[in-house]
Amino acid sequence: MRRNIFYLFAATLMFAFASCSDSYEDATSKHIYSENENPYLRIDPQATVTSEIEFAVERLEPYVIQLEAYNELFQEKMGLTTDQVISGLQNGSVVFYNINTTRNHWNKAEKTKGSTGWYYNSAGGVANEADASKTASLDINVGDKTLTVNPVEGIAVGTSVGFNVGFAVNGPDYDNYVRFSLQVSYTDPTIVMLNITIPAGDYASYGIDLNNYSETIALCMDMTLEEFLASIDTFGGTVRMYAVNPQSGVWDEASGYTANAPGYWMTSQGVVCSWGATDFTLYAELAAGDEMLYIGRAPALAAGNKYTLSIGYRDMENPAYFFRFIITATLA
């Protein structure tokens, strides 16, 4: 009797495994796929285009991928030109879907961003527009032959998300394909963090070489270093130097220059003051000829003291162009 029970239990288990068509193994191994199944992804590193996309939170702009740039790859991996891929999307001979990299299969989820693309959540999965965790979206424009990755407003600096989409020749499987692996991150290039040590001595200073930040200036101000320095307001330009509250990030738009212009004397809390005022501690002066920002100390300050200040530059006519330094200064 005990033996019969054992055989009955074993047979039941075999039947259960045989009838489970939605198991993980079935979803990630080759077989004849039904209309509602997501085909297994044949791994082909040479068919994959990888893009690392950084969105600057202070100046969010879409990232556009020109599909024609990958015409040779489409021909090699799909046997089609870019134009044929686009026309194939319209006649059904080519498909365009997401790829689930965790389960290694295509994701045939319907588009969630109108008829042009998808939203993605913080895990890189397909999301809806109303999803509070959405971190990016993607659109395909068949007329322009482009993919556009769109940022989302209000995302915290440091957020990162990855997702994959692909074009494939339609058929029993999607083995002939080109895949775009997209890694999106949100950064704030408008802030430069620095730790400096000011030498000993009354009014001694540390020079910050602006040549080291020419890329930041180019990105945030849309200027070369030379153009930036020539645009400072003391030379008749539209770029002004500001003191910024190092804690709140609020720009001081009321104070005039109180040190050698453009420059400021500041208290130990990074607030603009005059020379000789109570708690006058540090000065910040831009020397355009030297291409340096000098951070110096008031007299009779104790070695080892540490202070934080923030100095920013902004175009008064185009306030979207700006950047700032947050500087922690230690006295030698």
Side-chain angles (χ1 to χ4, degrees):
M1 179 66 178
R2 188 175 298 171
R3 180 181 298 174
N4 290 339
I5 291 173
F6 172 79
Y7 285 136
L8 179 61
F9 177 69
T12 301
L13 283 176
M14 291 176 63
F15 177 81
F17 282 119
S19 62
C20 184
S21 61
D22 293 327
S23 71
Y24 178 84
E25 181 65 26
D26 284 343
T28 57
S29 60
K30 288 282 185 190
H31 61 279
I32 303 301
Y33 302 101
S34 70
E35 181 66 23
N36 296 323
E37 280 189 287
N38 293 314
Y40 174 89
L41 175 71
R42 178 183 64 84
I43 298 298
D44 184 355
Q46 282 69 48
T48 302
V49 177
T50 301
S51 297
E52 294 188 0
I53 304 166
E54 290 189 358
F55 287 128
V57 294
E58 295 289 353
R59 192 175 301 123
L60 295 173
E61 297 177 350
Y63 181 90
V64 179
I65 299 170
Q66 301 288 340
L67 295 176
E68 287 186 323
Y70 303 98
N71 186 57
E72 291 186 8
L73 186 62
F74 282 124
Q75 291 185 70
E76 177 186 352
K77 297 300 179 180
M78 296 175 62
L80 302 171
T81 65
T82 304
D83 286 338
Q84 289 171 327
V85 169
I86 295 299
S87 62
L89 290 173
Q90 297 167 322
N91 63 34
S93 61
V94 172
V95 296
F96 176 59
Y97 288 126
N98 286 280
I99 294 171
N100 185 320
T101 57
T102 301
R103 289 213 163 194
N104 200 41
H105 64 61
W106 292 80
N107 178 2
K108 294 163 68 175
E110 294 293 329
K111 292 182 174 65
T112 58
K113 192 179 183 187
S115 61
T116 61
W118 297 271
Y119 291 96
Y120 298 94
N121 60 29
S122 56
V126 173
N128 295 310
E129 184 177 7
D131 191 335
S133 70
K134 65 180 183 293
T135 53
S137 68
L138 177 139
D139 293 292
I140 181 170
N141 187 318
V142 295
D144 293 343
K145 291 176 277 191
T146 60
L147 297 179
T148 301
V149 181
N150 306 287
V152 173
E153 296 278 355
I155 299 297
V157 172
T159 299
S160 180
V161 61
F163 49 92
N164 286 243
V165 295
F167 298 88
V169 175
N170 201 359
D173 53 42
Y174 298 160
D175 279 0
N176 299 313
Y177 69 87
V178 170
R179 167 184 174 185
F180 290 85
S181 178
L182 308 170
Q183 186 66 41
V184 172
S185 59
Y186 289 83
T187 64
D188 191 349
T190 67
I191 296 178
V192 178
M193 306 286 291
L194 288 177
N195 290 287
I196 66 171
T197 299
I198 301 176
D202 294 350
Y203 302 107
S205 66
Y206 177 94
I208 299 171
D209 188 347
L210 296 177
N211 286 280
N212 295 332
Y213 306 99
S214 58
E215 290 185 5
T216 298
I217 293 169
L219 176 64
C220 298
M221 304 297 294
D222 196 23
M223 298 177 181
T224 64
L225 175 58
E226 291 74 19
E227 291 170 336
F228 166 74
L229 292 171
S231 297
I232 298 297
D233 59 343
T234 52
F235 299 121
T238 60
V239 175
R240 183 169 176 79
M241 175 171 155
Y242 293 88
V244 184
N245 186 298
Q247 285 76 42
S248 68
V250 174
W251 293 55
D252 180 353
E253 300 186 49
S255 297
Y257 296 134
T258 59
N260 293 320
Y264 297 99
W265 275 100
M266 308 178 84
T267 70
S268 61
Q269 302 304 307
V271 177
V272 174
C273 66
S274 299
W275 177 88
T278 301
D279 195 33
F280 83 111
T281 303
L282 299 175
Y283 64 85
E285 295 177 347
L286 175 65
D290 296 344
E291 299 180 340
M292 304 281 274
L293 171 62
Y294 289 104
I295 308 298
R297 57 194 287 174
L301 296 177
N305 285 359
K306 184 177 292 187
Y307 308 99
T308 299
L309 69 156
S310 182
I311 296 295
Y313 298 89
R314 187 166 64 195
D315 192 315
M316 294 180 288
E317 291 185 353
N318 298 288
Y321 292 94
F322 66 92
F323 74 101
R324 67 184 175 113
F325 294 97
I326 298 178
I327 304 161
T328 298
T330 301
L331 304 187

